[in-house]
Amino acid sequence: MTVYKSIQLLATNAAEMAMKVANGEKIETNSTVNNGQIDVPSVLLEPVKI
């Protein structure tokens, strides 16, 4: 088994977030990921099992 995430969906979300950051807008997150020191706000997309 492996995990698939659409490159189109990843690219679209990344571009939208980059534009929000550039415009000083807040990014809405749906999760956090711990990097060993802090919980980093994150946007996680639904993976497809294949």
Side-chain angles (χ1 to χ4, degrees):
M1 180 176 71
T2 189
V3 175
Y4 168 78
K5 291 185 185 177
S6 166
I7 189 66
Q8 181 67 35
L9 189 56
L10 289 169
T12 300
N13 277 282
E16 288 173 357
M17 286 188 289
M19 290 301 298
K20 285 183 178 184
V21 169
N23 291 325
E25 299 174 31
K26 185 176 179 178
I27 296 173
E28 294 183 28
T29 62
N30 62 8
S31 187
T32 59
V33 176
N34 189 288
N35 68 1
Q37 294 183 359
I38 63 170
D39 288 331
V40 180
S42 305
V43 175
L44 300 180
L45 302 177
E46 188 71 31
V48 177
K49 298 176 193 173
I50 55 172

